[in-house]
Amino acid sequence: MSNTILVGAQWGDEGKGKIIDFLTQQADIVVRAQGGANAGHTVIVGTTQYILHLIPSGILRKRTTCVIGNGVVIDPIGLVEEIDGLKKSGIDPAGRLHVSDAAHMVFPYHKAIDAAREALKGKDRIGTTMRGIGPAYGDKVDRVGLRMGSILNVKRFAEQLQQAIKNNNALLKSLGATPLPVKRTMESVLKAARRLKPYVTNTVQLLHEASSKKKRILFEGAQGTFLDIDHGTYPYVTSSNTTAGGMCTGSGIAPNRIDRVIGVAKAYTTRVGEGPMPSEDRIVGDLLHGMGREYGATTGRERRCGWFDVVTVRQAAMLNGITDLAVTNLDGLDTLESVKVCVGYLLNGKRVDHQPSDLRQLAKCRAVYETFPGWQSPTDKIRTWKALPLNARRYAKALARLTGTKLSHASVGPARSQTITL
Ligand code: IMP
Ligand code: MG
């Protein structure tokens, strides 16, 4: 393995953090290139559970270098909290974590604006994670954002921040929301900024130097293909390019430096927030929620659940150039007598095999199912492909075949050890 991109092939929460952690044993550098603290990557090592929002999941292995690239939007206060949380569990990111000087920052006013805009949308709300992601990327595109590099000059940064808080307070008022206390907001951001100074660097240069020394780089995609700002189910999407291309622009690594693209998909489908989801089915939701599963790692919200959707994952394979498919949460289906797979949609009585980009048409799509026999035996303690029940193997292989990918991993639980390599 050399340079590998890992992306979510569905609507996020595919188990990317866990697969990244597993793959990190074959990587030197793990990079986040888009998104922000809206991500929640859960990794279990031994008996300890870590939920990472901004720091790459590679941080949990002591010899791995981690990079937060230019495409990420960074909440400085949240990042300091995350660093301190790791330190408490005996992991010190100092010297191993590098933060791009060109990454934009998320400030408390971005979060307040996120909340205010969602409230104004009422029933048309997107269901954001309220982490200020959309407003921060909005400022970036609007060319009024502040980048991590600006904290290196504290005096000037304080002036820029003060002006920005004042401007955004006016915006908050116009949205009918409460403005933020200028002094206190300044203090909390500046305190975090001071702590982050040693982490800030030119990560594009760092990555290119590492790459020319044949270091192996692993890109940790956040969210999922259908939350992509361009290719997702707009407007029910996040504000970054979650697809493979976003890993290049978000890190400064050129596309021809990428050797492998791994797509991660659950053995079923989940989604948090609003927006169409053709294979949504209460049977799957009741099953998984009954097992205490499928609650959001960032917001604690109950995730919407449904059957595996071949149409979406096949489209994800096309958009990302997925070569390898990692199927996660196979064990979630262990008790079922039969397992349904959505193999196509019916739109106004006509069969379609791709997602219509018009959201209203997608909302009208009805899932066409194929039924597979279940395996009805626990898989969570199984560690080899051959030891999996025949029907589980057939099911996982069918998902790869139907989506035009090659099955590379099957995951049967959240722990590092519960990962089967094919
Ligand atoms: P935002 O990224 O907070 O603006 O949220 C936009 C949409 O993306 C909402 O539906 C969120 O629930 C969803 N979303 C954002 N990040 C994640 C994630 O990491 N996993 C799953 N859904 C996400
Ligand atoms: Mg998540």
Side-chain angles (χ1 to χ4, degrees), residues 11-14 16 35-41 114 118 126-135 222-224 227 235-240 270-275 298-299 301 303:
W11 275 283
D13 307 313
E14 295 91 349
K16 296 177 294 292
N38 49 349
H41 291 172
D114 204 352
E118 282 281 79
I126 291 165
T128 78
T129 60
M130 305 280 187
R131 296 298 165 107
I133 305 299
Q223 290 80 48
L227 291 173
Y236 300 103
V237 293
T238 191
S239 301
S240 65
T270 67
R271 167 165 208 172
V272 273
E274 309 303 318
T298 299
T299 58
R301 285 181 288 178
R303 295 181 185 137

Side-chain angles (χ1 to χ4, degrees), residues 90-259:
I91 297 164
D92 189 355
R96 294 204 288 132
L97 174 67
H98 306 284
V99 177
S100 169
D101 53 6
H104 279 252
M105 278 185 271
V106 182
F107 296 115
Y109 55 77
H110 289 126
K111 292 188 191 174
I113 292 167
D114 204 352
R117 289 205 177 126
E118 282 281 79
L120 283 176
K121 282 187 180 136
K123 69 166 184 33
D124 292 328
R125 71 185 183 278
I126 291 165
T128 78
T129 60
M130 305 280 187
R131 296 298 165 107
I133 305 299
Y137 276 115
D139 277 358
K140 172 180 175 175
V141 175
D142 217 3
R143 293 152 298 177
V144 294
L146 287 170
R147 310 202 291 179
M148 285 304 294
S150 56
I151 70 172
L152 299 176
N153 183 339
V154 177
K155 191 166 166 280
R156 189 170 136 73
F157 174 58
E159 288 162 13
Q160 291 170 313
L161 180 65
Q162 185 171 39
Q163 191 56 52
I165 296 172
K166 285 182 180 160
N167 295 347
N168 282 281
N169 272 348
L171 176 59
L172 279 167
K173 271 190 221 159
S174 77
L175 294 170
T178 319
L180 301 176
V182 180
K183 195 158 167 263
R184 233 187 316 133
T185 308
M186 295 266 300
E187 278 166 6
S188 60
V189 174
L190 290 174
K191 189 170 159 220
R194 267 186 226 109
R195 290 270 316 272
L196 293 176
K197 254 178 144 180
Y199 295 92
V200 177
T201 190
N202 180 338
T203 54
V204 176
Q205 205 58 31
L206 182 150
L207 287 173
H208 278 275
E209 275 162 24
S211 173
S212 61
K213 285 183 196 145
K214 299 272 180 290
K215 298 279 187 208
R216 298 157 303 174
I217 307 173
L218 180 57
F219 294 87
E220 175 172 2
Q223 290 80 48
T225 296
F226 297 98
L227 291 173
D228 185 284
I229 185 77
D230 287 282
H231 302 291
T233 45
Y234 193 89
Y236 300 103
V237 293
T238 191
S239 301
S240 65
N241 283 114
T242 60
T243 41
M247 304 308 131
C248 294
T249 51
S251 68
I253 287 288
N256 59 359
R257 291 280 179 122
I258 306 299
D259 306 290

